[in-house]
Amino acid sequence: MEKSSRGNHIYRTRLFCHYLFGNGSAEYVLLDVDDQQPGAVVNPFLSFFSRTSAHVCASCNGWLLFSCPNETDISLTHYSVFNLVTKQDFAPPQPQIRGPSIRTGLAVDGQHYQIVRIFGVNNNGGSLLELEIYSSQKGVWRLERPLIHLPPDLPKLNTAPLFSNGAIHWELGGHLLVYCILHGECKLIPLPNHVDLDKWSPRCLTYGQCLWESEGRVHFCYSDFEGIHTWFLLKDLEVQDYCSYHYNLRWKHAHTILHQTLVAQISPRFWHSGLSFASPVAYVDNTCTIYLRLPGVVVSYNLRTQTLKEICRYAFPKSNFHCCLIVPVVCSSDALDFRASADGRGERHGAVA
């Protein structure tokens, strides 16, 4: 199983897959991945089925945040926080703001958590950031309105938010939105692949992107026509010296994997969709392994050995299968290596709805 060290703890990355079906039901599968072994293994104790589908909004320290619209009033959204270690559900009260949020994030500290919802409020033809925040410690929702103007274009590429260094990070219209949980501060940072509309061309298209933490830094990875690129966010003390030579960027390039490098190793049966559709979903620090999602398959690419390996395939023959969302789950190994209860895998009807 893949491991990375932070301080005195060993952390492991697993993949949590949300399969959505045409009848509204969903399958949630946790995959244990071992870079030393072929393929991936389904964890039966931390996988389940639900008759009603709930969207996986975020993952943080072994906790998952689900959202589900009300069946009778679609303007209402219900949230549920699921602890993979204890297999407990926590249902916060109904948010004050009705309707879907632009983005939602989760921060976990010990046994307490915070849910952060992002909205845009019209302001003289533009849009100002508004946050609705729930604290499990206080048990109430509160509103915050930092004076930040949102980008005009907010495309969604299913980029999972990242909680790192005490802050939640979101991809937001070509920018990184950072919200510090402790101080309540927000900042908006252009991403390295951000392109002004007047300079846009088809070669600027991003087909997939992902955020992760490595060596205490926030990393941003995206795929385009050329390959898969990774950058890391500079810390405040590093920015001034670096920016004087690099046109005020807050990011530094880490590595690029060219598509032609992958073509030589991947099976021809996956070429028909084009490798430009490779979407990064996770990264494991100490093994330098990137997980990539291709149509119908998940593969790993080791940056040290430059080798590619198939991890798993996802397909549901003879069923109305709509899509598969893959979210990385990172938490301490001692937390998830518990003795699972004897009930095994089963249905959790309505548990996350």
Side-chain angles (χ1 to χ4, degrees):
M1 188 168 298
E2 309 237 9
K3 303 179 181 179
S4 62
S5 299
R6 299 180 198 163
N8 295 323
H9 298 281
I10 300 297
Y11 287 80
R12 291 178 175 172
T13 298
R14 289 164 168 174
L15 303 179
F16 189 76
C17 306
H18 172 197
Y19 301 95
L20 176 64
F21 299 95
N23 63 0
S25 64
E27 187 88 5
Y28 302 90
V29 178
L30 187 73
L31 296 178
D32 291 334
V33 183
D34 189 340
D35 192 47
Q36 306 302 319
Q37 301 294 330
V41 178
V42 174
N43 188 318
F45 305 108
L46 297 174
S47 304
F48 50 87
F49 167 82
S50 177
R51 295 188 185 279
T52 56
S53 177
H55 177 67
V56 184
C57 300
S59 168
C60 180
N61 294 335
W63 299 51
L64 294 169
L65 173 63
F66 295 87
S67 69
C68 186
N70 188 291
E71 294 183 359
T72 58
D73 187 349
I74 60 173
S75 68
L76 297 177
T77 302
H78 298 291
Y79 289 96
S80 175
V81 180
F82 180 52
N83 187 331
L84 283 169
V85 177
T86 63
K87 300 177 72 173
Q88 290 179 295
D89 284 305
F90 302 90
Q94 183 70 45
Q96 300 175 31
I97 301 179
R98 302 170 73 95
S101 59
I102 298 174
R103 301 287 193 276
T104 307
L106 175 68
V108 177
D109 181 13
Q111 293 302 309
H112 294 290
Y113 63 88
Q114 290 192 37
I115 302 172
V116 181
R117 308 177 75 206
I118 299 175
F119 299 88
V121 180
N122 292 329
N123 179 263
N124 297 326
S127 184
L128 284 175
L129 175 67
E130 182 177 58
L131 304 176
E132 185 178 26
I133 303 166
Y134 174 78
S135 168
S136 64
Q137 193 168 15
K138 298 180 179 178
V140 294
W141 291 90
R142 72 179 191 277
L143 295 178
E144 290 188 11
R145 295 185 175 92
L147 297 177
I148 292 181
H149 289 272
L150 293 177
D153 185 28
L154 298 174
K156 298 194 71 172
L157 287 174
N158 289 324
T159 307
L162 172 70
F163 180 64
S164 173
N165 298 321
I168 303 179
H169 303 73
W170 296 268
E171 179 280 325
L172 197 67
H175 295 72
L176 184 74
L177 177 63
V178 184
Y179 173 71
C180 179
I181 294 296
L182 181 60
H183 305 291
E185 299 172 347
C186 282
K187 55 184 175 182
L188 202 62
I189 303 170
L191 287 168
N193 61 336
H194 174 70
V195 179
D196 294 330
L197 292 179
D198 58 349
K199 299 179 181 179
W200 187 91
S201 72
R203 295 171 68 89
C204 300
L205 281 174
T206 297
Y207 299 102
Q209 52 195 24
C210 181
L211 291 164
W212 65 65
E213 179 185 336
S214 175
E215 298 181 347
R217 295 180 181 272
V218 172
H219 285 63
F220 174 69
C221 182
Y222 67 94
S223 60
D224 61 11
F225 77 100
E226 179 186 25
I228 301 162
H229 315 277
T230 302
W231 300 68
F232 64 82
L233 184 65
L234 293 171
K235 298 179 180 179
D236 291 339
L237 294 178
E238 301 171 316
V239 171
Q240 186 173 358
D241 292 338
Y242 181 75
C243 290
S244 63
Y245 298 100
H246 294 81
Y247 309 102
N248 202 30
L249 288 175
R250 290 291 305 266
W251 300 87
K252 188 173 183 179
H253 181 257
H255 49 73
T256 289
I257 308 170
L258 298 177
H259 289 315
Q260 63 191 40
T261 302
L262 300 178
V263 166
Q265 300 186 48
I266 199 165
S267 172
R269 65 178 176 274
F270 300 120
W271 289 356
H272 67 280
S273 297
L275 281 173
S276 60
F277 290 99
S279 178
V281 294
Y283 176 79
V284 175
D285 208 349
N286 74 318
T287 59
C288 297
T289 301
I290 296 180
Y291 291 96
L292 305 171
R293 172 180 169 174
L294 298 171
V297 65
V298 176
V299 300
S300 67
Y301 183 80
N302 190 297
L303 293 170
R304 291 175 181 167
T305 62
Q306 298 184 352
T307 55
L308 183 141
K309 183 178 70 173
E310 182 176 317
I311 298 300
C312 67
R313 304 179 198 175
Y314 52 96
F316 286 86
K318 300 181 181 180
S319 65
N320 191 6
F321 170 56
H322 280 198
C323 65
C324 173
L325 174 66
I326 300 175
V327 177
V329 176
V330 181
C331 66
S332 61
S333 59
D334 53 348
L336 278 186
D337 284 345
F338 64 95
R339 289 286 181 180
S341 58
D343 58 354
R345 182 182 181 183
E347 296 193 18
R348 299 173 60 245
H349 304 305
V352 296

